[in-house]
Amino acid sequence: HGTNVVVCNDVANSGVRENMFAPRITQAETAGNLSTDEEATTMKRFLTAFAVIASMAVGAMAQTEPSVQHRSGASALLFDLKGLSTLGADNYRGGVGAMTYISDNVAVRAGVGFGITDDKKNNIAKEETTTTTLSIVPGIRYNIFNNDNVALYVGGELMLGMATTRNDASGSQVSKTSASTYGGGAFSGVEWFPWKNISLMLEYGLG
């Protein structure tokens, strides 16, 4: 397996010109040069960044056994990643998610979400609106290709949702409504295992 590491160290053109017949360098020619300390600092940063990236790449390539988890009985917890500039974990399908392989390359997964929102208005009637939501997203996945640390997969899932909205005023219930949603969809994606028990999935869904 190969890992391409590209490290860019962009340093502006200093304008230094070496002339063996004219060893004197004018002030104008040296104005854009980095000082010795700045050059040393830049080199240290470059070497540190290169060492970190190289160690990660070597660690990924040094695995002596396949890291893809696709055998019967393998299980995983699921969560979403959000943001690009500030990467962080988020709820899976609005709640918690899990997946388990019921046979080689065939897994079932599900996400369960629950939420309550409360909107209070500071008026004479003291109106208050409370919305409760529940969602269940079961699905099945099939791996169409595996190598040591990458899996390509396809699958389908159902989407079941329920929501209840209650409106109160002056401490008494004014109205209450309930709604249910049903749906389904298909998905495909790629799963990469940089380590044996940790993977990242890029998935596209339709539905």
Side-chain angles (χ1 to χ4, degrees), residues 12-20 22-35 39:
N13 183 12
S14 62
V16 175
R17 292 176 290 181
E18 182 179 357
N19 190 333
M20 61 183 299
R24 287 188 176 183
I25 301 176
T26 66
Q27 183 177 358
E29 289 177 325
T30 59
N33 288 344
L34 293 175
S35 67
E39 290 178 347

Side-chain angles (χ1 to χ4, degrees), residues 3-73:
T3 301
N4 296 325
V5 179
V6 179
V7 179
C8 298
N9 188 28
D10 189 10
V11 179
N13 183 12
S14 62
V16 175
R17 292 176 290 181
E18 182 179 357
N19 190 333
M20 61 183 299
F21 298 105
R24 287 188 176 183
I25 301 176
T26 66
Q27 183 177 358
E29 289 177 325
T30 59
N33 288 344
L34 293 175
S35 67
T36 303
D37 291 341
E38 290 174 331
E39 290 178 347
T41 301
T42 301
M43 182 58 67
K44 288 180 181 179
R45 291 176 179 174
F46 172 80
L47 293 176
T48 301
F50 181 81
V52 171
I53 296 174
S55 63
M56 293 175 63
V58 170
M61 293 186 294
Q63 295 174 348
T64 58
E65 61 181 15
S67 57
V68 168
Q69 304 295 314
H70 65 102
R71 299 299 185 185
S72 177

Side-chain angles (χ1 to χ4, degrees), residues 6 32-33 39 43 45 56 99 110 113 122 128 130 139 144 156 163 174 177 181 184-185 189 193:
V6 179
N33 288 344
E39 290 178 347
M43 182 58 67
R45 291 176 179 174
M56 293 175 63
M99 178 177 70
N122 189 18
E128 181 178 359
T130 303
I144 59 177
V174 175
T177 59
T181 57
F193 283 80

Side-chain angles (χ1 to χ4, degrees), residues 137-138 156-160 181-187 206-207:
V137 186
E157 61 186 6
L158 298 176
M159 290 166 278
L160 312 174
T181 57
Y182 307 93
F187 58 84
L206 180 64

Side-chain angles (χ1 to χ4, degrees), residues 76-92:
L77 296 177
L78 305 176
F79 59 89
D80 291 335
L81 292 179
K82 62 177 181 179
L84 293 177
S85 59
T86 56
L87 192 63
D90 198 4
N91 296 331
Y92 178 78

